[in-house]
């Protein structure tokens, strides 16, 4: 095994945050696409600009909160894991579970934020020209990865309860698992 903190990080615990960042980037792009759309779109029913729509404004605020909170939890948890790895200590199962949890939560938040932007875009959202349909598809594709799926919430809960985690899918896949 190579020396150094990067090589001390568990494989799965290292890759999940990297994949979660992709989801967060997609959500950021969806918010940016919607902001651009608000400059020109007029709602057919109300003849009001999308920019003036109270529901869209609330969705935009909620999407921004989801994105930023998911990212903050992920960054905080990665920093904690990195500090442990830099100290030369191996990450415990609970620390790994926090990385899986933060990564899964970041992607879940990114999916929710993107879905809000897709809905807020109204009838323009499904068209390729706007880009929201691609954001929706891509963020859901990222969320399908094993390291980012909803069962990780259960695994994190098991770790917090000090249950035996040696047979969980992520820990079994981790080639740098605890000895």
């Amino acid at each position: 095994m190579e020396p150094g903190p990067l090589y001390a990080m568990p494989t799965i615990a290292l890759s999940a945050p990297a994949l979660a960042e992709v989801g967060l980037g997609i959500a950021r792009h969806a918010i940016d696409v919607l902001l651009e759309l608000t400059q020109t779109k007029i709602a057919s029913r109300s003849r009001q600009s999308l920019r003036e729509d109270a529901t869209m404004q609330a969705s935009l605020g909620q999407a921004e909160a989801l994105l930023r909170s998911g990212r903050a939890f992920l960054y905080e948890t990665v920093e904690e894991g990195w500090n442990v790895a830099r100290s030369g200590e191996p990450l415990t199962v609970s620390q790994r579970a926090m990385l899986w949890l933060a990564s899964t939560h970041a992607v879940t938040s990114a999916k929710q934020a993107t879905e809000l932007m897709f809905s807020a875009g109204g009838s323009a959202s499904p068209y390729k020209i706007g880009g929201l349909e691609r954001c929706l598809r891509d963020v859901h594709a990222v969320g399908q990865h094993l390291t980012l799926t909803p069962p990780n919430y259960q695994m994190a809960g098991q770790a917090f309860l000090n249950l035996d985690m040696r047979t969980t899918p992520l820990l079994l896949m981790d080639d740098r698992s605890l000895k």
Side-chain angles (χ1 to χ4, degrees), residues 36-56:
E36 188 174 316
L37 184 62
T38 64
Q39 301 304 310
T40 57
K41 186 173 190 304
I42 304 293
S44 299
R45 282 191 186 163
S46 67
R47 302 306 305 156
Q48 176 182 13
S49 77
L50 182 59
R51 180 181 187 81
E52 297 167 345
D53 183 79
T55 302
M56 183 285 304

mmCIF file of all heavy atoms in Angstrom, residues 36-56:
data_model
loop_
_atom_site.group_PDB
_atom_site.id
_atom_site.type_symbol
_atom_site.label_atom_id
_atom_site.label_comp_id
_atom_site.label_asym_id
_atom_site.label_seq_id
_atom_site.Cartn_x
_atom_site.Cartn_y
_atom_site.Cartn_z
ATOM 1 N N GLU A 36 -31.961 32.036 -15.857
ATOM 2 C CA GLU A 36 -31.928 32.568 -17.223
ATOM 3 C C GLU A 36 -33.325 32.550 -17.851
ATOM 4 O O GLU A 36 -33.735 33.507 -18.510
ATOM 5 C CB GLU A 36 -30.951 31.749 -18.068
ATOM 6 C CG GLU A 36 -30.710 32.324 -19.433
ATOM 7 C CD GLU A 36 -29.639 31.557 -20.181
ATOM 8 O OE1 GLU A 36 -28.598 31.228 -19.577
ATOM 9 O OE2 GLU A 36 -29.867 31.283 -21.374
ATOM 10 N N LEU A 37 -34.056 31.471 -17.596
ATOM 11 C CA LEU A 37 -35.411 31.343 -18.136
ATOM 12 C C LEU A 37 -36.336 32.435 -17.592
ATOM 13 O O LEU A 37 -37.208 32.925 -18.301
ATOM 14 C CB LEU A 37 -35.962 29.949 -17.812
ATOM 15 C CG LEU A 37 -37.323 29.582 -18.376
ATOM 16 C CD1 LEU A 37 -37.294 29.590 -19.906
ATOM 17 C CD2 LEU A 37 -37.735 28.200 -17.859
ATOM 18 N N THR A 38 -36.126 32.820 -16.349
ATOM 19 C CA THR A 38 -36.992 33.845 -15.746
ATOM 20 C C THR A 38 -36.857 35.201 -16.434
ATOM 21 O O THR A 38 -37.721 36.068 -16.268
ATOM 22 C CB THR A 38 -36.706 34.036 -14.238
ATOM 23 O OG1 THR A 38 -35.382 34.535 -14.064
ATOM 24 C CG2 THR A 38 -36.919 32.757 -13.464
ATOM 25 N N GLN A 39 -35.807 35.384 -17.188
ATOM 26 C CA GLN A 39 -35.590 36.668 -17.877
ATOM 27 C C GLN A 39 -36.529 36.845 -19.075
ATOM 28 O O GLN A 39 -36.776 37.969 -19.498
ATOM 29 C CB GLN A 39 -34.135 36.785 -18.340
ATOM 30 C CG GLN A 39 -33.122 36.701 -17.225
ATOM 31 C CD GLN A 39 -33.342 37.728 -16.139
ATOM 32 O OE1 GLN A 39 -33.498 38.919 -16.411
ATOM 33 N NE2 GLN A 39 -33.377 37.275 -14.895
ATOM 34 N N THR A 40 -37.033 35.706 -19.618
ATOM 35 C CA THR A 40 -37.813 35.804 -20.858
ATOM 36 C C THR A 40 -39.178 35.132 -20.829
ATOM 37 O O THR A 40 -40.047 35.492 -21.614
ATOM 38 C CB THR A 40 -37.015 35.175 -22.019
ATOM 39 O OG1 THR A 40 -36.708 33.814 -21.694
ATOM 40 C CG2 THR A 40 -35.720 35.949 -22.275
ATOM 41 N N LYS A 41 -39.384 34.165 -19.946
ATOM 42 C CA LYS A 41 -40.612 33.366 -20.003
ATOM 43 C C LYS A 41 -41.810 34.118 -19.417
ATOM 44 O O LYS A 41 -41.746 34.680 -18.334
ATOM 45 C CB LYS A 41 -40.438 32.039 -19.269
ATOM 46 C CG LYS A 41 -41.656 31.114 -19.432
ATOM 47 C CD LYS A 41 -41.385 29.749 -18.854
ATOM 48 C CE LYS A 41 -42.417 28.724 -19.166
ATOM 49 N NZ LYS A 41 -43.761 28.978 -18.828
ATOM 50 N N ILE A 42 -42.895 34.065 -20.155
ATOM 51 C CA ILE A 42 -44.185 34.610 -19.718
ATOM 52 C C ILE A 42 -45.143 33.430 -19.583
ATOM 53 O O ILE A 42 -45.287 32.626 -20.501
ATOM 54 C CB ILE A 42 -44.767 35.618 -20.745
ATOM 55 C CG1 ILE A 42 -43.775 36.737 -21.030
ATOM 56 C CG2 ILE A 42 -46.124 36.141 -20.302
ATOM 57 C CD1 ILE A 42 -43.514 37.661 -19.878
ATOM 58 N N ALA A 43 -45.787 33.312 -18.422
ATOM 59 C CA ALA A 43 -46.732 32.213 -18.194
ATOM 60 C C ALA A 43 -47.968 32.410 -19.060
ATOM 61 O O ALA A 43 -48.514 33.511 -19.152
ATOM 62 C CB ALA A 43 -47.123 32.166 -16.719
ATOM 63 N N SER A 44 -48.397 31.328 -19.700
ATOM 64 C CA SER A 44 -49.562 31.393 -20.596
ATOM 65 C C SER A 44 -50.841 31.763 -19.859
ATOM 66 O O SER A 44 -51.648 32.543 -20.356
ATOM 67 C CB SER A 44 -49.761 30.048 -21.287
ATOM 68 O OG SER A 44 -48.640 29.741 -22.060
ATOM 69 N N ARG A 45 -51.040 31.200 -18.682
ATOM 70 C CA ARG A 45 -52.287 31.434 -17.946
ATOM 71 C C ARG A 45 -52.407 32.846 -17.399
ATOM 72 O O ARG A 45 -53.420 33.499 -17.543
ATOM 73 C CB ARG A 45 -52.395 30.456 -16.775
ATOM 74 C CG ARG A 45 -52.812 29.104 -17.192
ATOM 75 C CD ARG A 45 -53.147 28.290 -15.977
ATOM 76 N NE ARG A 45 -53.411 26.935 -16.431
ATOM 77 C CZ ARG A 45 -53.419 25.900 -15.669
ATOM 78 N NH1 ARG A 45 -53.195 26.032 -14.394
ATOM 79 N NH2 ARG A 45 -53.670 24.723 -16.160
ATOM 80 N N SER A 46 -51.375 33.300 -16.730
ATOM 81 C CA SER A 46 -51.473 34.582 -16.024
ATOM 82 C C SER A 46 -50.952 35.765 -16.832
ATOM 83 O O SER A 46 -51.191 36.905 -16.457
ATOM 84 C CB SER A 46 -50.690 34.503 -14.714
ATOM 85 O OG SER A 46 -49.305 34.391 -15.002
ATOM 86 N N ARG A 47 -50.231 35.490 -17.880
ATOM 87 C CA ARG A 47 -49.565 36.516 -18.682
ATOM 88 C C ARG A 47 -48.565 37.307 -17.827
ATOM 89 O O ARG A 47 -48.208 38.428 -18.115
ATOM 90 C CB ARG A 47 -50.575 37.480 -19.345
ATOM 91 C CG ARG A 47 -51.598 36.811 -20.238
ATOM 92 C CD ARG A 47 -51.050 35.927 -21.332
ATOM 93 N NE ARG A 47 -50.097 36.622 -22.205
ATOM 94 C CZ ARG A 47 -49.172 36.000 -22.914
ATOM 95 N NH1 ARG A 47 -49.074 34.693 -22.861
ATOM 96 N NH2 ARG A 47 -48.368 36.665 -23.674
ATOM 97 N N GLN A 48 -48.139 36.674 -16.763
ATOM 98 C CA GLN A 48 -47.183 37.253 -15.822
ATOM 99 C C GLN A 48 -45.806 36.659 -16.137
ATOM 100 O O GLN A 48 -45.698 35.503 -16.524
ATOM 101 C CB GLN A 48 -47.631 36.867 -14.415
ATOM 102 C CG GLN A 48 -46.734 37.278 -13.295
ATOM 103 C CD GLN A 48 -47.283 36.777 -11.958
ATOM 104 O OE1 GLN A 48 -48.174 35.937 -11.900
ATOM 105 N NE2 GLN A 48 -46.746 37.309 -10.891
ATOM 106 N N SER A 49 -44.750 37.426 -15.948
ATOM 107 C CA SER A 49 -43.418 36.866 -16.193
ATOM 108 C C SER A 49 -43.118 35.825 -15.117
ATOM 109 O O SER A 49 -43.565 35.944 -13.968
ATOM 110 C CB SER A 49 -42.353 37.958 -16.197
ATOM 111 O OG SER A 49 -42.046 38.366 -14.889
ATOM 112 N N LEU A 50 -42.372 34.832 -15.493
ATOM 113 C CA LEU A 50 -41.987 33.775 -14.549
ATOM 114 C C LEU A 50 -41.248 34.387 -13.367
ATOM 115 O O LEU A 50 -41.401 33.953 -12.230
ATOM 116 C CB LEU A 50 -41.127 32.723 -15.256
ATOM 117 C CG LEU A 50 -40.687 31.525 -14.435
ATOM 118 C CD1 LEU A 50 -41.888 30.762 -13.891
ATOM 119 C CD2 LEU A 50 -39.804 30.613 -15.260
ATOM 120 N N ARG A 51 -40.500 35.399 -13.624
ATOM 121 C CA ARG A 51 -39.731 36.102 -12.599
ATOM 122 C C ARG A 51 -40.627 36.621 -11.468
ATOM 123 O O ARG A 51 -40.205 36.710 -10.321
ATOM 124 C CB ARG A 51 -38.996 37.248 -13.276
ATOM 125 C CG ARG A 51 -38.150 38.099 -12.425
ATOM 126 C CD ARG A 51 -37.529 39.203 -13.302
ATOM 127 N NE ARG A 51 -36.567 39.957 -12.561
ATOM 128 C CZ ARG A 51 -35.310 39.574 -12.343
ATOM 129 N NH1 ARG A 51 -34.868 38.447 -12.854
ATOM 130 N NH2 ARG A 51 -34.503 40.323 -11.632
ATOM 131 N N GLU A 52 -41.872 36.972 -11.775
ATOM 132 C CA GLU A 52 -42.804 37.539 -10.798
ATOM 133 C C GLU A 52 -43.649 36.491 -10.086
ATOM 134 O O GLU A 52 -44.423 36.820 -9.186
ATOM 135 C CB GLU A 52 -43.723 38.546 -11.499
ATOM 136 C CG GLU A 52 -42.981 39.728 -12.079
ATOM 137 C CD GLU A 52 -43.822 40.559 -13.020
ATOM 138 O OE1 GLU A 52 -44.894 40.103 -13.464
ATOM 139 O OE2 GLU A 52 -43.404 41.688 -13.318
ATOM 140 N N ASP A 53 -43.513 35.235 -10.459
ATOM 141 C CA ASP A 53 -44.339 34.167 -9.908
ATOM 142 C C ASP A 53 -43.872 33.786 -8.499
ATOM 143 O O ASP A 53 -42.721 33.371 -8.301
ATOM 144 C CB ASP A 53 -44.285 32.947 -10.834
ATOM 145 C CG ASP A 53 -45.173 31.826 -10.354
ATOM 146 O OD1 ASP A 53 -46.392 31.906 -10.570
ATOM 147 O OD2 ASP A 53 -44.632 30.873 -9.740
ATOM 148 N N ALA A 54 -44.760 33.920 -7.527
ATOM 149 C CA ALA A 54 -44.412 33.649 -6.129
ATOM 150 C C ALA A 54 -44.032 32.193 -5.894
ATOM 151 O O ALA A 54 -43.117 31.907 -5.104
ATOM 152 C CB ALA A 54 -45.579 34.037 -5.217
ATOM 153 N N THR A 55 -44.694 31.268 -6.569
ATOM 154 C CA THR A 55 -44.379 29.851 -6.402
ATOM 155 C C THR A 55 -42.979 29.559 -6.911
ATOM 156 O O THR A 55 -42.204 28.842 -6.277
ATOM 157 C CB THR A 55 -45.417 28.971 -7.133
ATOM 158 O OG1 THR A 55 -46.709 29.278 -6.610
ATOM 159 C CG2 THR A 55 -45.122 27.506 -6.950
ATOM 160 N N MET A 56 -42.625 30.139 -8.069
ATOM 161 C CA MET A 56 -41.282 29.958 -8.606
ATOM 162 C C MET A 56 -40.249 30.547 -7.659
ATOM 163 O O MET A 56 -39.204 29.954 -7.411
ATOM 164 C CB MET A 56 -41.175 30.604 -9.991
ATOM 165 C CG MET A 56 -39.824 30.400 -10.685
ATOM 166 S SD MET A 56 -38.419 31.367 -10.080
ATOM 167 C CE MET A 56 -39.028 33.033 -10.239
#
